[in-house]
Amino acid sequence: MIPVALQVEQLPLTLLVGCDVPEVLQANGYDLPELMQVARLPDGFLVRTGKDEFLLQSSKPLVANLPSCWTYPRVDQAFVLQGEHWREVMAYICHMDMGQVKTDDWLMMSVAGVNAWARVLEEGLLLGCDPSLGEYLHHTLNETVNRVNEKFIK
């Protein structure tokens, strides 16, 4: 078994902004998480990134028919790190102590100099960034995963 695996993900993301967003989400059947918290969905997640700002990862259509609810599709580059030693990979390229995080924690951080968001999974980390920096971050993650895997596969 490989100690750490890296996978590129394609996620349908929607940024929702505006004072009517909480009402729109509730009308669409979503439970609202607290600020900087994640709500699990059957096909994704909903995170509250601000008082009236949410990031939604779901394939379910959203009906947003109130005037102060703006929706923007996001095309973030996303990665999944999985395996027993994913925290060690992050220790090489991120200042945060990943030993303290738990499943469904939402993080905003710098990873190899790239502003990124992350959701802690049961056995790994979902990591996203602006697509303009995706190739660089993918290369850096891949190199770091290889380094960690070489350390444990000897």
Side-chain angles (χ1 to χ4, degrees), residues 25-98:
L25 287 170
Q26 288 174 320
N28 280 268
Y30 293 104
D31 292 327
L32 301 182
E34 295 296 319
L35 185 62
M36 299 304 285
Q37 297 295 311
V38 175
R40 287 188 195 193
L41 305 176
D43 66 340
F45 62 86
L46 174 66
V47 62
R48 189 175 210 152
T49 55
K51 179 179 178 272
D52 297 323
E53 180 180 287
F54 294 80
L55 185 62
L56 175 65
Q57 190 260 306
S58 177
S59 59
K60 177 182 166 185
L62 182 74
V63 178
N65 55 1
L66 292 175
S68 293
C69 176
W70 296 275
T71 62
Y72 304 97
R74 295 275 300 255
V75 291
D76 294 18
Q77 181 66 61
F79 308 96
V80 174
L81 283 172
Q82 290 181 307
E84 184 179 350
H85 297 285
W86 70 265
R87 285 175 173 84
E88 185 155 346
V89 169
M90 293 303 291
Y92 279 103
I93 57 176
C94 179
H95 68 284
M96 292 187 76
D97 179 2
M98 294 295 165

Side-chain angles (χ1 to χ4, degrees), residues 13 35 45 49 76 83 93 115 122 129 132 143 148-150:
L13 295 170
L35 185 62
F45 62 86
T49 55
D76 294 18
I93 57 176
N115 290 331
E122 287 183 24
C129 72
S132 67
E143 291 292 317
V148 170
N149 284 341
E150 285 173 7

